[in-house]
Structure formats: C-alpha cells, structure tokens
Amino acid sequence: MANAFNLNGPNFTVDAACASSLAALGQAVNGLRFREYDMAVCGGVDQMMSPPAFVKFCKIGALSPDGSRPFDAGANGFVMGEGAGVIILKRLSDALKDGDRVVALIRAVGASSDGRGKGITAPNPKGQRLAVERCLEQLDYGPEGIGLLEAHGTSTKVGDVVEVNSAVELFRGRAAPRSIGLGSVKSQIGHLKAAAGIASLAKAALALKRKVLPPSINFRTPNPGIHWNDCPFFVV
C-alpha cells in the first residue's frame, strides 16, 4: 500500500490471529496519539478459504455444518468467510480542521491475552474481562452510557457463553437490564478471521453514524448457558 499510494510513514503488518485487524487498530491509534504521523490507513484482509484451512478448523470442532447462530442455543460453530475492510484514521482535531467526513470517534482501545488458555474455541474469561476493563478505564463514562456491544460472537458453544457472561459480570448493576444491544456481524458474513475485527468496527461505526441498532440474524432460542435473566444485553 505504501508503494501504491506513495505513503512515507511506517508500514507494517500485524499478526494476532483473529484479532489482527484490531491489533493493527491499536497500533494506529497509539501512533496518532504520540504524533508519529497525522493519518493512518488501517485494515485487514482474509481470503484463506483453502482446503487445509477447512480441515484444520474441522479437526478442532470449530466449524458449523449448517450456519452461523451467535448467542443462540443451536450455535454449533462458525462459518468461514472472506473479506477486507479499511478505515482512515486521523486525530479528531485534524479531521475537523480539514473538513473530513467523520463517521465515528474511537475513544479507547483495550487489549489482553488469555495467557495459558485452553484453546481457541474455549477463551479464558479472565482475558475477556481484562480487555473490556482496560477499555472502560480510559473512558469518562461507564457501561450505563453504552448502547451497543458488537461482540466477537463466533457461534461456538463455549466461546459465546464465555464472552457474554464475562461482559455481564462487568456490566451487571452498572447498566439497566436489557438496555444494551448485542450483536455479531458474523451472523451475516461469517468469520473473516484476520479481517473479523475491522468488519465489526465498520458495522459499529456505521451504526453510530446512522443511529440504528443493526440486527443479527439466526437468533431464535437464547443460549441457555448465558445469564439472560439479569443480563444488561439483548440480542438485536
């Protein structure tokens, strides 16, 4: 990209598996904050639909044979997708000064790792909580000011439960029951792996711009492993 568009800033790729494009986002945001550059082109692309990829994910029981159903009782794995997404990032003051069309504002980025986790289909609740906690610590508002949680929502039996219940622990008592929309773009376009994060970010940014809560599909029966009774979230 730097060669094609004659860009002279730092140019590099980030590999954090399915978090790659959001890890790249964190690097881009930090560079802008430290004024290492004035604009960043950030994104992700995934076209890994080769037979070995299907074999690998089938062997670990991650793929669904019949569809993507995030947060649903029938969730039985993800559907692989292909895609790409790119965003242009600038400091808000510069974007306003330059007359740019601002779609959304990134207030904070939080990150974590599972450490010695159990595997990619069984995320560690501690790691899930740390990422959200680190993001909330940087904000001047709390869970009560949030209207949409665009989740990873891979539609795996354990992954959805761990992700949502970890968020429930942090948000319960700080946001009213069923006050925050919950969604996963994977229900529409599948799991883009390295580009999954940028797809979710694009969805959330457009939701803010258009002032709508975008729906997730294939949700019929709530996953019984998720604490829905006093849950601050509802699937849109």
Side-chain angles (χ1 to χ4, degrees), residues 52-71:
F54 281 93
V55 171
K56 177 180 68 175
F57 285 119
C58 281
K59 283 185 174 180
I60 62 174
L63 290 186
S64 169
D66 56 6
S68 179
R69 307 176 193 82
F71 323 118

Side-chain angles (χ1 to χ4, degrees), residues 56-208:
K56 177 180 68 175
F57 285 119
C58 281
K59 283 185 174 180
I60 62 174
L63 290 186
S64 169
D66 56 6
S68 179
R69 307 176 193 82
F71 323 118
D72 190 86
N76 59 358
F78 62 79
V79 174
M80 286 211 293
E82 289 184 315
V86 174
I87 59 173
I88 306 297
L89 295 165
K90 296 175 76 171
R91 290 181 290 272
L92 179 61
S93 57
D94 290 344
L96 294 175
K97 180 183 66 177
D98 296 340
D100 296 326
R101 180 171 63 94
V102 178
V103 177
L105 176 64
I106 296 173
R107 300 291 302 273
V109 179
S112 68
S113 175
D114 276 2
R116 291 177 179 170
K118 297 178 181 179
I120 65 171
T121 58
N124 186 334
K126 179 181 178 181
Q128 300 275 313
R129 289 193 300 269
L130 279 173
V132 180
E133 285 175 342
R134 288 166 178 167
C135 186
L136 291 173
E137 287 170 357
Q138 303 172 57
L139 301 175
D140 56 3
Y141 58 88
E144 71 284 350
I146 295 173
L148 172 67
L149 178 64
E150 171 63 14
H152 194 43
T154 53
S155 184
T156 56
K157 288 183 179 294
V158 178
D160 287 1
V161 171
V162 170
E163 181 179 19
V164 178
N165 285 343
S166 296
V168 169
E169 289 182 23
L170 291 174
F171 283 62
R172 184 192 288 124
R174 303 171 67 188
R178 294 182 55 80
S179 63
I180 302 173
L182 176 69
S184 171
V185 74
K186 292 175 183 64
S187 69
Q188 277 94 359
I189 63 175
H191 189 355
L192 305 191
K193 303 175 291 300
I198 204 70
S200 294
L201 180 64
K203 175 187 170 183
L206 290 172
L208 284 168

